Amino acid sequence: MIWLVLIIAGLFETAWAIGLKYTEGFSKFWPSCWTIVAMVISVWLLGVCVKHLPVGTAYAVWVGIGAVGTVIGGIWLFNEPVSALRVFSLCMIMAGIIGLKLAAH
C-alpha cells in the first residue's frame, strides 16, 4: 500500500512540475494556486512514505516518477523533442526505479 502512496506522490510531483510551465513564473494566479497545492500534496505524501521506507529509496523513486512523468508530459503537452537517446534515458530511469523497489525488501 505504501508503494501506491509513493506512486501517487510521484504523480503529484509530475503535476506540479508541469504546472510550473503554466504559471509563467508564478504570474498567473490559478495555475500558481494549483501548482502550489500539488507541491504540498506531493511532499506531504512523500513524508508519509519515508515513515515506512528508506528515505533514499523513497526519494529516488519519487524523483524518478516525477522526472519520467514530466518528460512524457513535456513531449505530450508542449511538443518537446523525442529522440532515441531521450527514450533510452527514460527507460534507464524506469529501470532504476524498479531496481530500487526490488532492493527495498
Side-chain angles (χ1 to χ4, degrees):
M1 183 63 166
I2 201 65
W3 286 98
L4 178 61
V5 175
L6 187 57
I7 291 168
I8 293 167
L11 294 174
F12 272 100
E13 186 194 6
T14 299
W16 70 254
I18 293 291
L20 287 173
K21 185 81 164 175
Y22 290 104
T23 69
E24 294 185 15
F26 291 99
S27 64
K28 291 190 171 186
F29 181 75
W30 286 113
S32 297
C33 288
W34 292 117
T35 298
I36 291 167
V37 167
M39 287 176 174
V40 170
I41 292 170
S42 178
V43 172
W44 173 68
L45 290 174
L46 176 62
V48 169
C49 292
V50 298
K51 289 171 50 178
H52 306 282
L53 297 170
V55 68
T57 299
Y59 181 75
V61 169
W62 178 72
V63 169
I65 292 168
V68 169
T70 302
V71 171
I72 292 170
I75 291 167
W76 183 48
L77 296 169
F78 308 122
N79 296 317
E80 293 179 357
V82 179
S83 68
L85 183 56
R86 286 187 95 193
V87 172
F88 174 75
S89 298
L90 286 176
C91 291
M92 296 300 293
I93 293 169
M94 290 187 294
I97 292 169
I98 293 166
L100 286 170
K101 200 271 188 224
L102 294 174
H105 290 106

